C-alpha cells in the first residue's frame, strides 16, 4: 500500500470534527468514470494533478460529503491511497437508512475511484490496494474483517446507509465480491500476524557467552580479528546484535574457510 495523507481541512465535515470510536469499515466506489484521486483530493501536492472541484473546500450549502480515504491513480498513473480524514473522525459517506447511519456508528468510509469499469488491470490494482488498507485498519483498530467490513450496498440492506449499489455493481465483473474481499483481508491479516510473531520470537545474541556452543569458536575468531564489533551506540560497541540466521551463516562461512 502506498499511503499518503492530505486532510480535507476545508470540508465542513472536517471543520465540525466530531470524533468516534472506530467500529467498522464501509467500502465505497465513486460512481463516476474518473480514476484520478486528484478529481477529489486537493490542492495539488505535486503528485495529484488536482481538479478545481476537489472536496477540500467549504461548501456549507453543497453536498455534505467527506470520506476517510480515496484509492485511485496519481498523476503518473500509479495507484495510491490518500487518507483525507483522521480515522477517528466521523465521516459523511454512508447517508442513512431505515435504522440509522453508519456515519455515526463508527464506520471509516473510503472510496475507490471508478474508471469505466472495463479495465481488469486497474480493478486488480485498486482491489489489492483496498485489501491492504483494510488489513492496516483492522490491525490498528482490532477489527474483525469478516464481521466489521461492509460495502455501501450491504449497509443499505442492513438499514444503515442510503440506497447505493457500490461496490457490488463492480466487484462481480471480475469474479470478486465483498465475501472474497473479506476473506482476502482475513488471510493477509493472518499472514501479517504470523510474520510479526516470528519477528518477536527472534532471539538476539549480544555477547559471546550468549551464543550457542556450535557458533562460539566462529564468533570468538571474528571478535578477536576485529571483524565483528556489533551494534555501535555513540561509537561504542553495545552488543553483538546477532540473530540465529546470522550465526548460522557465519558458521557456514567459517567452515568454508572464509575466516582465518
Ligand atoms: Zn457509496
Amino acid at each position: 500500500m502506498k499511503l499518503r495523507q492530505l486532510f480535507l481541512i476545508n470540508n465542513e465535515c472536517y471543520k465540525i470534527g466530531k470524533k468516534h470510536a472506530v467500529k467498522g469499515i464501509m467500502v465505497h466506489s465513486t460512481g463516476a468514470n474518473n480514476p484520478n484521486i486528484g478529481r477529489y483530493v486537493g490542492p495539488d501536492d505535486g503528485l495529484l494533478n488536482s481538479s478545481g472541484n476537489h472536496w477540500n473546500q467549504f461548501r456549507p450549502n453543497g453536498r455534505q460529503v467527506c470520506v476517510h480515504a480515496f484509492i485511485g491513480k496519481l498523476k503518473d498513473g500509479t495507484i495510491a491511497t490518500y487518507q483525507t480524514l483522521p480515522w477517528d473522525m466521523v465521516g459523511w459517506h454512508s447517508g442513512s437508512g431505515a435504522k440509522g447511519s453508519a456515519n455515526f456508528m463508527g464506520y471509516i468510509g473510503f472510496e475507490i475511484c471508478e474508471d469505466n469499469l472495463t479495465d481488469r488491470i486497474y480493478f486488480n490494482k485498486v482491489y489489492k490496494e483496498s485489501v491492504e488498507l483494510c488489513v492496516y485498519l483492522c490491525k490498528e483498530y482490532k477489527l474483525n474483517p469478516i464481521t466489521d467490513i461492509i460495502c455501501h450496498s450491504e449497509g443499505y440492506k442492513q438499514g444503515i446507509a442510503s440506497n447505493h449499489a457500490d461496490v457490488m455493481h463492480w466487484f462481480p465483473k471480475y469474479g470478486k465480491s465483498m465475501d472474497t474481499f473479506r476473506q482476502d483481508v482475513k488471510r493477509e491479516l493472518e499472514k501479517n500476524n504470523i510474520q510479526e510473531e516470528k519477528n518477536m520470537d527472534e532471539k538476539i545474541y549480544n555477547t559471546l557467552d550468549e551464543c550457542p556452543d556450535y557458533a562460539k569458536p566462529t564468533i570468538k575468531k571474528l571478535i578477536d580479528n576485529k571483524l565483528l564489533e556489533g551494534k555501535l551506540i555513540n561509537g561504542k560497541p553495545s552488543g553483538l546484535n546477532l540473530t540465529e540466521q546470522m550465526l548460522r551463516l557465519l558458521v557456514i562461512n567459517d567452515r568454508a574457510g572464509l575466516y582465518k
Side-chain angles (χ1 to χ4, degrees):
M1 174 175 56
K2 195 198 280 180
L3 180 63
R4 294 180 57 87
Q5 219 174 49
L6 198 165
F7 289 154
L8 302 175
I9 55 171
N10 298 310
N11 191 295
E12 197 183 0
C13 177
Y14 185 95
K15 285 189 182 292
I16 291 172
K18 193 173 159 62
K19 295 281 181 166
H20 65 185
V22 174
K23 292 282 162 50
I25 304 169
M26 185 173 278
V27 186
H28 298 264
S29 61
T30 51
N33 179 6
N34 192 335
N36 302 305
I37 298 172
R39 158 64 187 87
Y40 307 98
V41 181
D44 203 338
D45 62 357
L47 300 175
L48 286 174
N49 208 3
S50 299
S51 75
N53 59 345
H54 60 71
W55 291 12
N56 197 1
Q57 304 184 52
F58 187 62
R59 286 174 176 150
N61 302 316
R63 275 182 71 210
Q64 305 282 296
V65 283
C66 203
V67 296
H68 294 86
F70 285 88
I71 288 175
K73 283 185 187 175
L74 300 177
K75 187 162 58 178
D76 69 5
T78 59
I79 303 300
T81 303
Y82 265 66
Q83 182 187 359
T84 45
L85 281 180
W87 306 120
D88 66 349
M89 190 181 276
V90 169
W92 294 345
H93 54 90
S94 70
S96 45
K99 293 183 191 155
S101 168
N103 287 340
F104 302 107
M105 296 165 77
Y107 277 86
I108 288 171
F110 72 88
E111 294 275 359
I112 309 171
C113 297
E114 292 183 15
D115 59 357
N116 63 6
L117 311 188
T118 63
D119 183 347
R120 176 182 290 273
I121 294 169
Y122 176 71
F123 175 80
N124 286 339
K125 284 182 187 165
V126 291
Y127 180 90
K128 181 168 178 280
E129 185 81 4
S130 304
V131 168
E132 288 171 8
L133 174 61
C134 286
V135 168
Y136 169 79
L137 292 171
C138 282
K139 246 175 107 164
E140 192 73 19
Y141 293 102
K142 304 204 174 354
L143 303 175
N144 177 338
I146 301 301
T147 55
D148 298 340
I149 303 175
I150 57 174
C151 75
H152 194 160
S153 67
E154 290 175 323
Y156 172 67
K157 285 186 192 141
Q158 291 180 19
I160 59 169
S162 57
N163 186 1
H164 279 225
D166 53 323
V167 298
M168 286 303 288
H169 68 305
W170 188 13
F171 282 25
K173 285 182 194 286
Y174 299 104
K176 302 291 186 189
S177 66
M178 280 308 292
D179 287 328
T180 67
F181 186 79
R182 283 181 279 263
Q183 288 297 336
D184 288 339
V185 174
K186 180 168 181 255
R187 201 186 49 241
E188 289 303 314
L189 194 59
E190 284 166 357
K191 257 199 238 166
N192 219 290
N193 289 339
I194 290 168
Q195 191 53 45
E196 233 161 55
E197 269 166 36
K198 263 193 198 156
N199 294 346
M200 276 171 68
D201 281 351
E202 194 163 52
K203 186 170 163 44
I204 302 290
Y205 300 94
N206 276 315
T207 66
L208 182 61
D209 268 355
E210 284 171 24
C211 291
D213 285 343
Y214 81 88
K216 273 184 182 145
T218 301
I219 300 306
K220 183 168 186 316
K221 195 190 289 183
L222 291 172
I223 294 170
D224 289 349
N225 292 341
K226 298 200 175 356
L227 290 167
L228 179 64
E229 279 189 295
K231 191 154 70 177
L232 295 179
I233 292 181
N234 296 329
K236 288 194 181 119
S238 72
L240 299 174
N241 196 29
L242 295 165
T243 64
E244 185 75 34
Q245 301 295 335
M246 291 167 76
L247 289 179
R248 294 192 59 220
L249 266 173
L250 292 170
V251 170
I252 292 166
N253 286 342
D254 194 17
R255 284 177 189 158
L258 255 63
Y259 313 127
K260 305 227 162 60

